[in-house]
């Protein structure tokens, strides 16, 4: 018996000694997860976002560079509250870029580094948010922070420089302060009278939430939906109070909740008043971008609104479940989901748990806030079908998305930890810390390797960055910056585009005087000129350019059809000499030298009267035929046409050179274009001038040739008839 008692005593001593041994380890693990982990994660996030930042991505997206152009306006003493650049830009990001540009100079890093800083702040405040929402569960805060750090979705946008990167930061700060106010409001109602709470505690606390909401709206278009989160959260909380609380408590909380919401909106209106006043004066700017991409625009719904809505919603939700992804190679590997397929089950679990607690938990419920936030911020992408699923427009959901993912992941690990203990129950303090740590470590290491392989290896090696980040513009900037002073670069623009559709990367990185019609304040000897190509602008710009001109010929740009009427080609060929032709990705460069006798570029006067009526659809009023060829290779001709009635198709024209023996020796065909590039089906009731260079064959025999014209249907090739003729003579040309 004594021996048995001694063995029992020894066993108890051994257990106590083991517990004493493991207590410091447990303490250190607890200290690590509660204090050091957020800083370690933030340092890790910083390293990920700064690695290869100057070269990955290697340039600036044109929309991103537009923010830089707005920043230059500020630095030049022209501050604004709204810029019409790229469909409209909110003011906060340009002011931040102005500050970084003043410090770092005009370079891509001046735009990329603020985006990195904002993304790191977002990761930091997401930890603070989750600690406020779930104060007894630090794992959720750490997991949310870590998942955001390893998010390829967030990593891409943290390095690109889009102004939308501000939205998650201010939305998180707003929701964090709103939740704190809501919790304080509930506790105050339980301690004080409703009147004293309303009088002494109510008015100022919502101002912080409203301030961050306003800053978000000053940052990005999609933030205009953020105030709806407060509204729908209050509605759902009120309904939950009605079913889950006693009647007396419900009657006390409802007036307080709605009064609080009203004061939030009052503060928000005060903070947004400058922007509101601007939109009152410029109502078109308020809907300029949203109306263009809206699902209600027939261009996008094609007359099937419900069908388009279903498809866009399915594609948008699919990116959270590993099924669909953004096709834009700028923001990820094409079609890669925002949530990878192996994380999607945990997101689904988190969504189900959040939905369950939203329906059953007492108020205020953090689950209800996260769910409302996520659902509301889906709408900027759902209501804009262009490029769905559009990861940029979904940035407002990124923090609640990873919060839901953290909830699902933590719940799954906790369940497994309860069912399959790794160490015997004698060491429960150690077990409770080591079990999830081992799983999280192995899981997140795998996720980290996936991120590295995709972002730093597959993405740069499989993506052609020439267009997405304006590498062609970066090359052009270098050429313009190092060009001799006597050279002017001519950058054609499609006349149908707004003047703000210029190349922002060039404008931001050069920040040198340039000119474009109708404002020619810096017209002469400008290093480069924008030329919205039409008859008047072409004459003015070329006349004010330097003696040597390098004309950009777009081959894959938004302004590819800038010289569709060949006005620049006509003027330069007839009054300048081509020195060199160079080809690059996206554009070619033609180097021209003005002819000595050319003081100003001028299109010819079309003054040879004619009266050729083509089937009462079109009439040729006048014609022009040059008296001599250009370098023996081109014969300049021109006509003035007038539409006589509406035409259903865009008719084409064929200029032909007929030899004395009746043989056709040269021909030039082209679709008839208005000065604003419309085909004949869209011509207004006004005359239109057309200019052509008729190519001549080499060694053409001297003789008197006849220039004839044929107008014909673009599909059937059926000719129009004028005065009983298909080939209508315009005049004679004598080749000596």
């Amino acid at each position: 018996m004594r021996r048995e008692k001694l063995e029992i005593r020894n066993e108890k001593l051994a257990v106590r000694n083991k517990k004493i041994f493991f207590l410091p380890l447990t303490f250190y693990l607890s200290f690590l997860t509660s204090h050091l982990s957020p800083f370690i994660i933030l340092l890790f996030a910083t390293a990920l976002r700064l690695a290869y930042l100057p070269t990955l991505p290697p340039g600036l997206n044109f929309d991103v560079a537009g923010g830089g152009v707005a920043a230059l306006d500020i630095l030049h003493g022209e501050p604004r509250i709204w810029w019409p650049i790229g469909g409209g830009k909110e003011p906060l990001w340009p002011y931040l870029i102005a500050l970084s540009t003043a410090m770092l100079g005009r370079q891509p890093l001046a735009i990329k580094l603020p985006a990195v800083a904002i993304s790191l702040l977002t990761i930091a405040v997401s930890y603070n948010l989750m600690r406020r929402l779930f104060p007894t569960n630090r794992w959720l805060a750490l997991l949310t922070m870590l998942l955001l750090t390893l998010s390829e979705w967030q990593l891409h946008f943290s390095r690109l420089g889009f102004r939308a990167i501000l939205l998650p930061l201010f939305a998180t700060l707003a929701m964090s302060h709103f939740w704190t106010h809501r919790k304080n409001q509930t506790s105050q109602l339980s301690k004080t009278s409703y009147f004293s709470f309303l009088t002494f505690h109510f008015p100022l606390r919502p101002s912080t939430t409203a301030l961050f909401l306003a800053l978000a709206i000053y940052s990005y278009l999609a933030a205009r939906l953020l105030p709806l989160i407060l509204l729908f959260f209050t509605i759902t909380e009120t309904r939950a109070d009605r079913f889950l609380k006693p009647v007396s408590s419900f009657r006390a909380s409802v007036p307080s909740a709605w009064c609080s919401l009203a004061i939030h909106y009052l503060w928000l209106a005060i903070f947004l008043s400058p922007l509101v006043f601007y939109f009152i004066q410029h109502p078109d700017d308020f809907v300029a971008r949203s109306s263009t991409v809206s699902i209600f625009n027939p261009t996008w719904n094609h007359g099937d609104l419900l069908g388009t809505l279903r498809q866009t919603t399915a594609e948008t939700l699919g990116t959270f479940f590993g099924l669909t992804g953004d096709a834009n190679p700028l923001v990820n590997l094409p079609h890669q989901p925002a949530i990878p397929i192996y994380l999607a089950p945990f997101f689904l679990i988190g969504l189900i748990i959040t939905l369950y607690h939203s329906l059953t938990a007492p108020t205020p419920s953090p689950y209800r806030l996260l769910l409302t936030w996520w659902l509301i911020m889906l709408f900027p992408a759902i209501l804009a079908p262009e490029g769905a699923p559009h990861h940029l427009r979904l940035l407002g959901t990124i923090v609640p998305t990873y919060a839901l993912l953290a909830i699902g992941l933590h719940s799954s690990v906790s369940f497994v930890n309860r069912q399959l203990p790794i160490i015997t129950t004698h060491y429960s303090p150690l077990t409770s810390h080591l079990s999830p740590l081992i799983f999280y470590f192995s899981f997140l290491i795998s996720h980290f390797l996936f991120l590295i392989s995709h972002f730093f290896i597959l993405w740069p090696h499989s993506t052609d960055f020439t267009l997405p980040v304006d590498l062609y513009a970066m090359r052009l900037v270098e050429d313009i910056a190092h060009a001799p002073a006597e050279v002017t670069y001519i950058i054609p623009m499609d006349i149908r585009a707004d003047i703000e559709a210029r190349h922002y990367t060039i404008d931001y990185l050069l920040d040198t005087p340039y000119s474009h019609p109708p404002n020619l304040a810096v017209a002469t000897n400008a290093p480069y000129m924008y030329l919205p190509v039409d008859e008047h602008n072409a004459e003015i710009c070329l006349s004010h350019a330097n003696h040597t001109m390098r004309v950009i010929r777009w081959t894959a740009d938004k302004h590819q059809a800038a010289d569709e009427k060949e006005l620049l080609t006509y003027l330069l060929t007839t009054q300048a000499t081509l020195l060199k032709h160079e080809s690059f990705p996206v554009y070619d460069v033609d180097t021209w030298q003005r002819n000595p006798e050319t003081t100003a570029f001028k299109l010819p006067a079309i003054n040879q009267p004619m009266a050729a009526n083509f089937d009462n659809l079109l009439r040729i009023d006048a014609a022009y035929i040059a008296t001599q060829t250009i370098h023996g290779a081109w014969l300049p001709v021109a006509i003035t046409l007038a539409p006589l009635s509406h035409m259903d198709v865009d008719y084409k024209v064929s200029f032909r050179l007929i030899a004395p023996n009746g043989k056709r020796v040269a021909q030039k065909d082209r679709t008839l274009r208005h000065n604003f590039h419309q085909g004949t089906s869209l011509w207004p009731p006004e005359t239109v001038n057309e200019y052509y260079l008729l190519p001549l064959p080499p060694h053409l025999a001297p003789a008197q040739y006849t220039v004839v014209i044929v107008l014909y249907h673009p599909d059937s090739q059926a000719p129009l008839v004028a005065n009983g003729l298909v080939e209508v003579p315009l005049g004679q040309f004598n080749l000596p």
Side-chain angles (χ1 to χ4, degrees):
M1 178 67 70
R2 185 177 178 183
R3 184 175 180 179
E4 291 177 356
K5 289 182 178 179
L6 186 62
E7 289 177 355
I8 292 173
R9 181 186 174 191
N10 290 337
E11 287 179 3
K12 289 182 178 179
L13 286 174
V15 170
R16 188 186 68 178
N17 290 336
K18 288 180 180 180
K19 286 184 177 180
I20 292 173
F21 172 78
F22 284 120
L23 276 176
L25 181 59
T26 304
F27 170 78
Y28 290 134
L29 288 172
S30 177
F31 179 80
L32 179 67
T33 56
S34 60
H35 294 87
L36 293 182
S37 293
F39 296 100
I40 295 173
I41 293 172
L42 205 55
L43 287 174
F44 180 51
T46 304
L48 272 178
R49 280 146 184 79
L50 291 179
Y52 305 104
L53 183 61
T55 57
L56 189 63
L60 287 175
N61 175 263
F62 77 96
D63 194 32
V64 170
V69 171
L72 294 181
D73 288 342
I74 298 168
L75 295 176
H76 294 158
E78 300 176 9
R80 302 184 188 181
I81 199 169
W82 183 266
W83 278 266
I85 294 172
K89 289 195 182 299
E90 293 78 8
L92 186 55
W93 187 244
Y95 283 93
L96 292 177
I97 298 303
L99 180 62
S100 63
T101 300
M103 296 171 61
L104 301 174
R106 301 180 316 276
Q107 57 170 316
L109 279 179
I111 297 180
K112 292 181 180 181
L113 281 175
V116 169
I118 295 299
S119 71
L120 293 174
L121 285 174
T122 304
I123 293 171
V125 299
S126 69
Y127 176 82
N128 179 64
L129 169 73
M130 295 301 285
R131 290 293 284 151
R132 292 190 184 193
L133 293 179
F134 305 95
T136 61
N137 193 338
R138 69 171 66 97
W139 278 109
L140 286 181
L142 287 173
L143 277 176
T144 302
M145 192 180 186
L146 192 53
L147 288 168
L148 272 172
T149 296
L150 296 177
S151 163
E152 192 172 352
W153 181 14
Q154 210 251 16
L155 182 60
H156 272 279
F157 284 104
S158 69
R159 302 165 69 99
L160 290 172
F162 283 102
R163 68 190 187 280
I165 195 67
L166 290 168
L167 173 56
L169 173 63
F170 291 128
T172 304
L173 288 169
M175 295 307 123
S176 180
H177 283 80
F178 176 68
W179 175 256
T180 302
H181 171 73
R182 186 75 174 86
K183 289 282 288 184
N184 291 340
Q185 176 187 354
T186 305
S187 62
Q188 287 289 343
L189 279 174
S190 63
K191 296 176 183 178
T192 65
S193 69
Y194 173 74
F195 176 77
S196 64
F197 170 74
L198 182 63
T199 305
F200 300 109
H201 300 277
F202 211 54
L204 292 178
R205 287 180 177 173
S207 63
T208 342
T209 303
L211 174 62
F212 289 123
L213 288 177
L215 289 174
I217 293 171
Y218 278 114
S219 304
Y220 186 54
L221 177 65
R224 296 177 187 179
L225 293 182
L226 281 176
L228 294 179
I229 299 173
L230 276 58
L231 173 63
F232 283 94
F233 177 74
T234 302
I235 293 173
T236 55
E237 287 280 289
T238 302
R239 291 184 63 84
D241 279 344
R242 181 178 181 181
F243 293 105
L244 299 176
K245 284 187 176 181
V247 174
S248 58
S249 178
F250 167 69
R251 288 176 177 174
S253 63
V254 169
S256 171
W258 287 103
C259 196
S260 171
L261 183 65
I263 293 182
H264 275 93
Y265 284 161
L266 178 60
W267 277 111
L268 183 61
I270 293 172
F271 291 135
L272 290 178
S273 56
L275 193 59
V276 171
F277 290 146
Y278 173 85
F279 285 138
I280 290 174
Q281 296 173 343
H282 307 85
D284 290 343
D285 287 345
F286 181 73
V287 295
R289 178 61 178 161
S290 56
S291 61
T292 304
V293 300
S294 170
I295 195 171
F296 301 103
N297 189 329
T299 304
W300 295 108
N301 62 45
H302 306 291
D304 183 11
L305 179 60
L306 292 179
T308 305
L309 181 61
R310 282 194 300 269
Q311 180 180 354
T312 307
T313 302
E315 290 174 344
T316 299
L317 292 177
T319 197
F320 296 98
F321 299 102
L323 303 176
T324 60
D326 197 326
N328 187 353
L330 177 67
V331 300
N332 64 345
L333 284 170
H335 303 289
Q336 179 175 305
I339 302 297
I341 188 68
Y342 59 88
L343 288 179
F346 298 109
F347 175 78
L348 180 60
I349 292 170
L351 186 60
I352 293 172
I353 292 172
T354 301
L355 182 60
Y356 171 77
H357 285 292
S358 297
L359 296 174
T360 60
T363 60
S365 168
Y367 295 99
R368 208 170 285 127
L369 179 62
L370 287 175
L371 185 62
T372 306
W373 181 1
W374 184 72
L375 289 173
I376 292 295
M377 295 314 294
L378 289 175
F379 281 93
I382 290 175
L383 297 179
E386 177 197 23
H390 202 291
H391 289 179
L392 176 65
R393 297 189 186 117
L394 285 170
L395 273 181
T397 69
I398 195 168
V399 172
T401 293
Y402 283 98
L404 296 178
L405 182 55
I407 291 170
L409 184 59
H410 179 65
S411 300
S412 302
V413 172
S414 299
F415 175 80
V416 172
N417 195 35
R418 289 192 303 268
Q419 301 300 319
L420 301 172
I422 299 176
I423 304 176
T424 178
T425 54
H426 287 297
Y427 311 119
S428 57
L430 183 62
T431 304
S432 63
H433 283 82
L434 275 183
S435 305
L437 279 176
I438 292 173
F439 177 83
Y440 290 142
F441 181 78
S442 57
F443 179 83
L444 292 172
I445 283 293
S446 303
H447 184 42
F448 170 71
L449 294 176
F450 174 85
L451 173 68
I452 294 298
S453 65
H454 272 67
F455 186 85
F456 291 102
I457 300 174
L458 291 178
W459 183 53
H461 287 89
S462 63
T463 302
D464 181 4
F465 288 111
T466 302
L467 283 173
V469 291
D470 281 9
L471 285 187
Y472 69 93
M474 303 285 287
R475 186 194 314 110
L476 195 52
V477 164
E478 289 295 316
D479 292 343
I480 296 174
H482 295 94
E486 64 274 11
V487 172
T488 299
Y489 275 78
I490 307 294
I491 303 178
M493 295 178 66
D494 196 317
I495 192 66
R496 293 166 290 189
D498 186 80
I499 193 60
E500 289 298 341
R502 59 190 193 268
H503 290 80
Y504 303 128
T505 303
I506 298 173
D507 295 346
Y508 174 68
L509 295 178
L510 287 177
D511 190 26
T512 53
Y514 65 88
S515 63
H516 57 76
N519 178 19
L520 289 170
V522 194
T524 306
N525 301 325
Y528 67 101
M529 290 183 175
Y530 285 111
L531 172 51
V533 182
D534 70 357
E535 297 173 36
H536 178 70
N537 293 340
E539 291 177 334
I540 291 179
C541 272
L542 294 181
S543 298
H544 284 86
N546 281 311
H547 189 69
T548 302
M549 296 162 285
R550 290 180 181 166
V551 181
I552 307 302
R553 298 293 192 176
W554 301 113
T555 58
D557 181 75
K558 56 190 173 186
H559 295 292
Q560 186 174 357
D563 195 26
E564 198 171 23
K565 282 174 65 74
E566 299 181 345
L567 289 171
L568 280 181
T569 303
Y570 190 96
L571 282 167
L572 290 167
T573 303
T574 56
Q575 299 164 60
T577 302
L578 179 64
L579 301 180
K580 184 169 58 173
H581 174 82
E582 301 169 279
S583 292
F584 303 96
V586 182
Y587 67 90
D588 297 340
V589 179
D590 291 336
T591 303
W592 296 83
Q593 190 171 64
R594 187 189 305 224
N595 292 338
E597 68 277 7
T598 303
T599 56
F601 285 85
K602 196 71 178 173
L603 291 166
I606 307 174
N607 51 16
Q608 179 182 333
M610 292 192 65
N613 184 329
F614 289 82
D615 291 339
N616 291 321
L617 294 175
L618 287 164
R619 184 183 67 240
I620 298 180
D621 290 339
Y624 163 82
I625 300 175
T627 57
Q628 59 183 6
T629 64
I630 305 300
H631 309 302
W634 307 96
L635 176 64
V637 295
I639 55 173
T640 298
L641 297 110
L644 301 178
S645 60
H646 173 72
M647 291 162 276
D648 295 325
V649 298
D650 297 331
Y651 283 96
K652 302 184 78 171
V653 62
S654 176
F655 282 89
R656 300 168 182 179
L657 190 65
I658 308 300
N661 60 5
K663 181 181 178 181
R664 184 191 310 167
V665 295
Q667 181 173 335
K668 171 76 172 183
D669 287 52
R670 199 174 72 201
T671 301
L672 291 169
R673 295 289 179 191
H674 185 270
N675 204 27
F676 283 89
H677 295 204
Q678 307 103 311
T680 55
S681 62
L682 297 175
W683 276 14
E686 61 187 28
T687 58
V688 175
N689 294 331
E690 285 275 75
Y691 303 87
Y692 298 84
L693 293 171
L694 192 58
L696 301 179
H699 312 298
L700 189 62
Q704 189 174 56
Y705 294 87
T706 302
V707 178
V708 300
I709 188 173
V710 177
L711 303 182
Y712 60 94
H713 193 283
D715 301 321
S716 66
Q717 313 295 312
L720 299 179
V721 178
N723 303 325
L725 298 175
V726 170
E727 292 187 336
V728 177
L730 294 181
Q732 303 291 321
F733 167 70
N734 188 33
L735 181 64

